[in-house]
Amino acid sequence: MLLSDLQTGDEGVVVRVSGHGHFRKRIIEMGFIKGVKVQSILNAPLNDPIKYRIMNFEVSLRRADASKVEIVTLQEAKEWERQKTVGSGEGKGLWGDQPPLPADDKRSAVDRLVENKTHTINVALVGNPNCGKTSIFNIAAHAHERVGNYSGVTVDEKVGTFQHGGYTFNLVDLPGTYSLSAYSPEELYVRKHIIEKNPDIILNVVDGSNLQRNLYLTTQLIDMDITMVMALNMYDELQRSGDRLDIGQLSTLLGMPIVPTTGRSGDGIDRLFDKIIEVYEGRDTTTRHIHVNHGRELERCIKQLRTELYEHGFSDSLSTRFLAIKLLENDKQLEQYTNQRDPDGSVIKMRDQIADKFKKEIGRRLVDKDISKGHQVTVEEEPQDIESAITDAKYAFVRGALAECYTKNEKSTLHKHTDRIDAIVTHRWLGYPVFLIFMFITFYCTFALGAYPMDWIDALFGWLGELVTDNMAEGPLRSLLADGIIAGVGSVIVFLPNILILYLFISFMEDSGYMARAAFIMDKLMHKMGLHGKSFIPMIMGFGCNVPAIMATRTIEDRKSRLLTMLVIPMMSCSARIPVYVILVSAFFSKYAALVLTGLYLLGMIMAVLMAKLFSRFVVKGDSLPFVMELPPYRMPTAKAVLRHTWEKGKEYLKKMGTIILAASIIVWALSYFPTNADRKVQAENSYMAKIGKTIEPAMKPCGFDWKQSVSLLSGVFAKEVVASTMTVVYATSSEEAEELEDFEAEENGSRISQLIQQNMTPLSAASMLLFILLYMPCLSTIIAIKNESGKWKWAFFTMAYTIGLAWIASTLLFQIGSLLL
Ligand code: GDP
Ligand code: MG
């Protein structure tokens, strides 16, 4: 608990002191060091300040200060021991994995809890996008988070807990950022995490093959005055390039230990965490607080503002130097924070004066000086403002540091292949056919190769069904098993191979870096639609599953493009729709299967683009801003990463089978089996399912759907696969056709469900249903994802409404025009 929560008269033992700079130092100097006992002895009338006894003398602390000291009390320790014994069966207590206590441990419960808490290190991974943070996180925490060779793969924080060197690590993987200003949601997010969660150590991951840009973020972290360790990642690439880096020297210059790592293979990661322990325990000798020197003029401005901040008592939770620099950079969020704590606004007033003066006097001089030295070729009329002067100074610092310890190998062949491949795939004309070929190969393999294992699984479930039918007595139980569970789940599980193959291709394209190129060549086209090139990656991801695709829109900095992309992602045909497509296509259009399927996917994309254009004109107002898209070097993905990525998806799919699909199959079976009736033909027409179906049938009639198709579509609201299982169950339980099938089966004329569908539908109504499934409302998880990402229910409802409306209109047109023509 916090020291400020300690009741008068009670005792506790100090575990750690958070807070900042001078403030923290002062508290530690008073004697609040880990392992020391404190007692609360007197509360002032308003509970502030509080008097404590520590090491036999008395000190008084303000409540706010006391809340920065974490302690452990006897009561907490006892509760902890109790939890541990309760949870020891699984080896997991309230505080995570614990090694069993040695029998001769004579220490008190409090000592043990203090030891446990002080042996827990909270580490946050901070670095540029695509520098390998998640790779390191996965290896250290044995996790399977997504990695991908383009920026913005990790969109929210992921926490992993593991043991290393006798310590428990809580490792947090944060989204990648280039800087810590408040421009994008990611930047704000990372900054907030560092300030509010106060991790013990910031693990700054740096891409060794791109030092200059990566170290810019490091300089901002240094301003924050936090304890850091640097992972010099992509060390394999740095070595291969032939560039030379004096790591010891850089480490001294930056005042933090640097450990070379290769996130892909895991080299250096053990040493990295050994180093973190050393730093945490204060044993590391390179760690020191340095100031990034911004040059004399700027430093004077910073110091002036900092003094003002100090006098206003800003020193407790944030480095005043960081705050001063950010305020000079015109950071709106921190300006607000400052104004809250300084209502008369004198700090901001001073900031404005300093910035003004800088621009008038020094900014102009800097420009002049540059001209005189002949550096600046184009002379800007406007004198430099303090914000850009700070950025320049930081880059100057990085360049200076690198000049001392880094020599680039001019003859480096690293990433040469990247240029060669890019010459083709991002070529003005060639780029598009290459992309189309990739897409075609992807879908061809998904459906053509997937057909083989699909047949095996289909046969397996057919056999299972027969086994049940042959060996059980006629009755509800047999029907539940054969027509409900086996038919329902089986009808969906056969698509596992297709889905795995699709994900294999998507993972490969993401991991190799091709996806970023695809986004690049689509940029121009996307702009015309009010979208952005970056919208393209989430859209392609939508082919897998709409939910992560919608989350991935976070990388789109521009609000308007982000929202538009979210709204049209449901048009991208997700893999859950595959089962229904294939069932319908193989029943009616098996000769043109590839053509029809490709057509459906393309139609979805075209609709997405049209809708985006429409919405950007009439629904989502505002201009979209251009921004830079990065093209990371190609990296051969590790087979392990691609396979794991694919398998994770497969596992999710199987999990869905065991939960949503199983439950839906049982519910749908029950609704179509009851109320029971001896006459099966009559029964199907009277079931609850039929009642629901017939209620909505009139509305669906224009699209050409009867009640069976209508309820199937309705059930798809939970998950799209359910449409397939519902159709199977509804047809399997309904009427005499099921009986007649026995005769058909001998003829080996397509699968059982195909025949049922052929008897119940026409090619035209099947085509209309395919169209409806492509366009209508996405599953509930997607709707919720849209609500969460857009922040408003309004957009979730809007998506539901427009997709259903669009599907209805399109299917009705198709069916009615088709009926007239045929
Ligand atoms: P994040 O965006 O910082 O989380 O980066 P990721 O962990 O997603 O990795 C980005 C890309 O770099 C992936 O393709 C990884 O396979 C690759 N990668 C990560 N670490 C290394 C490394 O040390 N060496 C090389 N060559 N590639 C790496
Ligand atoms: Mg990541």
Side-chain angles (χ1 to χ4, degrees), residues 346-622:
S346 55
V347 172
I348 297 301
K349 237 175 269 154
M350 170 169 265
R351 190 270 317 264
D352 292 343
Q353 277 169 12
I354 295 175
D356 239 31
K357 187 156 167 253
F358 181 90
K359 191 165 175 174
K360 280 209 196 87
E361 297 174 7
I362 304 144
R364 184 171 296 280
R365 226 167 53 221
L366 285 178
V367 174
D368 292 349
K369 205 166 66 192
D370 271 355
I371 304 167
S372 66
K373 272 201 275 169
H375 281 334
Q376 200 124 339
V377 187
T378 47
V379 185
E380 287 171 24
E381 286 294 309
E382 187 75 358
Q384 194 180 32
D385 58 28
I386 194 160
E387 188 181 350
S388 48
I390 292 176
T391 310
D392 286 354
K394 285 205 152 76
Y395 269 114
F397 176 87
V398 171
R399 269 197 304 276
L402 288 178
E404 287 198 35
C405 54
Y406 178 66
T407 17
K408 194 158 183 58
N409 176 10
E410 293 304 337
K411 280 184 258 140
S412 166
T413 53
L414 187 74
H415 303 324
K416 273 272 158 62
H417 63 288
T418 292
D419 297 337
R420 262 183 246 135
I421 300 174
D422 274 349
I424 301 170
V425 302
T426 61
H427 187 271
R428 247 182 327 152
W429 312 115
L430 283 179
Y432 299 97
V434 168
F435 171 70
L436 283 180
I437 291 170
F438 273 133
M439 283 329 261
F440 180 78
I441 295 175
T442 303
F443 288 117
Y444 180 79
C445 291
T446 300
F447 294 108
L449 287 185
Y452 298 97
M454 190 170 143
D455 284 344
W456 307 331
I457 302 178
D458 197 32
L460 178 75
F461 273 84
W463 173 80
L464 267 178
E466 269 170 37
L467 199 70
V468 170
T469 324
D470 295 346
N471 292 304
M472 284 177 70
E474 164 101 54
L477 192 61
R478 184 177 91 170
S479 177
L480 169 67
L481 277 177
D483 304 329
I485 295 174
I486 295 175
V489 175
S491 65
V492 179
I493 223 165
V494 293
F495 298 97
L496 183 64
N498 303 89
I499 282 154
L500 289 182
I501 295 172
L502 182 62
Y503 269 107
L504 196 72
F505 276 92
I506 294 184
S507 303
F508 186 84
M509 287 199 276
E510 285 177 358
D511 259 16
S512 62
Y514 180 69
M515 205 70 119
R517 270 71 185 183
F520 179 79
I521 59 169
M522 289 297 167
D523 188 48
K524 212 163 162 193
L525 206 69
M526 289 283 169
H527 262 303
K528 293 216 172 94
M529 306 305 151
L531 295 172
H532 187 275
K534 272 197 186 174
S535 312
F536 193 70
I537 292 175
M539 284 170 75
I540 295 288
M541 284 170 71
F543 285 142
C545 175
N546 283 184
V547 176
I550 283 169
M551 297 190 31
T553 57
R554 274 185 221 177
T555 53
I556 306 169
E557 283 111 13
D558 173 54
R559 199 190 142 273
K560 180 179 175 181
S561 305
R562 187 161 66 224
L563 189 57
L564 281 175
T565 312
M566 255 182 254
L567 295 180
V568 301
I569 279 177
M571 297 284 114
M572 308 309 287
S573 191
C574 71
S575 61
R577 291 172 228 190
I578 291 176
V580 212
Y581 291 160
V582 176
I583 284 181
L584 289 171
V585 168
S586 51
F588 289 105
F589 314 106
S590 53
K591 278 211 190 93
Y592 318 99
L595 211 63
V596 176
L597 286 168
T598 314
L600 276 172
Y601 279 95
L602 277 178
L603 185 67
M605 292 173 80
I606 294 170
M607 280 302 191
V609 162
L610 290 181
M611 287 298 127
K613 179 100 188 146
L614 201 68
F615 295 159
S616 83
R617 177 78 59 81
F618 298 110
V619 183
V620 188
K621 294 277 149 62

Side-chain angles (χ1 to χ4, degrees), residues 134 146 154 173:
T134 304
R146 273 173 87 84
T154 308
D173 186 17

Side-chain angles (χ1 to χ4, degrees), residues 128-135 146-150 153-154 173 233-237 240 261-264 511 635:
N128 282 190
N130 214 33
C131 67
K133 295 177 296 301
T134 304
S135 302
R146 273 173 87 84
V147 297
N149 197 13
Y150 57 87
V153 183
T154 308
D173 186 17
N233 198 39
M234 308 266 179
Y235 192 60
D236 55 334
E237 294 196 353
R240 251 191 300 141
T261 57
T262 301
R264 217 148 66 144
D511 259 16
R635 300 198 164 96

Side-chain angles (χ1 to χ4, degrees), residues 574 576-577 579-580 656 716-724 773-779:
C574 71
R577 291 172 228 190
V580 212
K656 217 163 158 191
V717 167
F718 299 101
K720 284 292 162 75
E721 297 95 333
V722 176
V723 180
I773 287 165
L774 170 70
L775 300 175
Y776 90 123
M777 174 179 167
C779 67

Side-chain angles (χ1 to χ4, degrees), residues 802-818:
Y802 100 78
T803 48
I804 293 174
L806 188 65
W808 192 89
I809 294 172
S811 289
T812 302
L813 281 178
L814 177 72
F815 187 76
Q816 298 303 337
I817 295 176

